[in-house]
Amino acid sequence: MDTSKMIKAYCLKTKEKDVPMHNAVISKTARGGYIAKGDDGKGNKMSAILGEEKALQAIKDGVAKQEF
């Protein structure tokens, strides 16, 4: 899979920035925003708050699944 289109987030466990998120699932928050939840490929859980445009583009590109 092309990692340039993948959602990138901060991994709290390893303290790394811009880590590609694997198995991403995008859902809507209670206030109408978008959040992506997934892992870093090593089993460490990650999450990232996204804007509407970036969230919908990730679903369209096939790098994330839609939960809402």
Side-chain angles (χ1 to χ4, degrees), residues 1 7 23-26 36 50 55 58-66:
M1 184 177 287
I7 298 168
N23 306 318
V25 177
I26 296 178
L50 305 171
I59 293 168
K60 181 180 168 191
D61 291 340
V63 296
K65 294 181 183 176
Q66 181 177 355

Side-chain angles (χ1 to χ4, degrees), residues 1 3-4 9-10 13-14 17 26-27 36 39-40 42 49:
M1 184 177 287
T3 58
S4 66
Y10 178 76
K13 187 171 184 179
T14 61
K17 293 182 180 179
I26 296 178
S27 57
D39 61 73
D40 66 353
K42 300 173 190 169
I49 302 294

Side-chain angles (χ1 to χ4, degrees), residues 9-17 19 40 42 44-46:
Y10 178 76
C11 184
L12 291 170
K13 187 171 184 179
T14 61
K15 308 279 193 267
E16 293 178 74
K17 293 182 180 179
V19 179
D40 66 353
K42 300 173 190 169
N44 301 319
K45 292 183 180 178
M46 301 170 65

